[in-house]
Amino acid sequence: LRSWLIQVYPYISTLYQAVHVCYQCLYLVNATEFWSPGLHHQRLSLRRRGPEFEADASSALDKKKDWDAARVASLIRDGLAATLKHGFFGVVYSLQALQWWYQRENVLQPFEPKQPPPAPPSRPPLWSDGMQQVFLPQDKRVCGLCRKLRTNPAASASGFVFCYPCLLQYVRKHRQCPLTRLPMDPDHVRRVFEDG
């Protein structure tokens, strides 16, 4: 059957095109009011616009002017009913779509409450290796090592300021910062110049 259709199809197509051209030629010479076989089958006719068309159009306008209030009211009522009907379904479908969208979002990205932040780290224990415990004094002009007013200030590798002789002696002996106990060499001591 398939091979038969493949052989016959070109003849059927050519015949249809020929009939179509005949319809168009007959339409052009006003022998028929149908432009194509398809329009003839549907009983749709094409009409040329001419003087008689203008007369038909003006009579149609006269009929439209004769509309009464009842007809206008019924048209408005029918239009409003159709608008409400379709509007109602539009709102319902929109709400359904929103519900689906948010339900889908919750499925894809479930809400998980955030974990509380971890507790702050505990303070390091006091030094138990016999080394001198160093605390920063309240007065920023006092050295934390000798507990006197700073003379000739110097900064450790951590940025804390002490007297230069005190800090240099401590670093040479312990090889670390007095406060943070980070490893430090005497070369890491930096002099600080303050305004008097």
Side-chain angles (χ1 to χ4, degrees), residues 166-179:
C166 301
L167 181 60
L168 191 60
Q169 179 184 3
Y170 186 91
V171 169
R172 283 183 181 158
K173 182 176 180 185
H174 301 290
R175 298 277 182 198
Q176 62 188 8
C177 174
L179 278 172

Side-chain angles (χ1 to χ4, degrees), residues 98-117:
L98 286 174
Q99 181 183 9
W100 172 82
W101 178 262
Y102 285 113
Q103 181 182 12
R104 184 85 177 141
E105 182 180 346
N106 290 337
V107 169
L108 293 176
Q109 300 174 359
F111 175 74
E112 295 179 6
K114 292 184 178 179
Q115 299 293 329

